[in-house]
């Protein structure tokens, strides 16, 4: 998702949910650049944030599966992965 898509969806959906999505997208963009910096603490911080994001994704998927939510809704809720 891009910032423009989030802004457009903000008119239709819950603004608090979109705020958390925007923060996650922003952090993911930052940590993608951090992995290329050497001799700094940024790659370590990026790794920790990436692991937290992965845990969040697993929690979202498991909760949705327990609540019998369809796959399309789950895909919308899952955050972008750090690669």
């Amino acid at each position: 998702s891009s910032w423009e898509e989030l802004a457009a969806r903000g008119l239709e959906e819950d603004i608090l949910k979109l705020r958390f999505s925007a923060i996650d997208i922003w952090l993911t963009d930052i940590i993608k650049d951090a992995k290329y910096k050497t001799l700094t603490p940024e790659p370590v911080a990026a790794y920790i944030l990436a692991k937290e994001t992965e845990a969040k994704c697993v929690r979202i998927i498991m909760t949705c599966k327990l609540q019998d939510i369809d796959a399309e809704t789950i895909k919308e809720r899952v955050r972008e992965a750090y690669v």
Side-chain angles (χ1 to χ4, degrees):
S1 295
S2 67
W3 290 99
E4 294 84 21
E5 291 173 13
L6 286 173
R9 287 176 34 202
L11 300 174
E12 303 166 2
E13 296 181 20
D14 183 21
I15 196 71
L16 186 61
K17 182 173 67 171
L18 290 175
R19 180 178 289 162
F20 286 120
S21 294
I23 291 170
D24 286 341
I25 290 169
W26 178 70
L27 281 174
T28 303
D29 289 343
I30 289 174
I31 63 174
K32 281 182 180 178
D33 293 334
K35 68 181 175 182
Y36 298 112
K37 297 179 181 178
T38 57
L39 303 174
T40 64
E42 286 146 339
V44 175
Y47 177 80
I48 293 169
L49 287 171
K51 288 299 173 186
E52 288 177 358
T53 302
E54 287 177 8
K56 244 190 254 186
C57 289
V58 169
R59 223 174 9 252
I60 289 169
I61 292 168
M62 296 304 292
T63 302
C64 289
K65 290 289 185 182
L66 288 173
Q67 299 297 322
D68 294 324
I69 296 175
D70 62 304
E72 288 300 316
T73 306
I74 294 173
K75 287 178 185 177
E76 289 175 5
R77 293 182 182 181
V78 172
R79 307 288 187 241
E80 183 179 344
Y82 167 77
V83 177

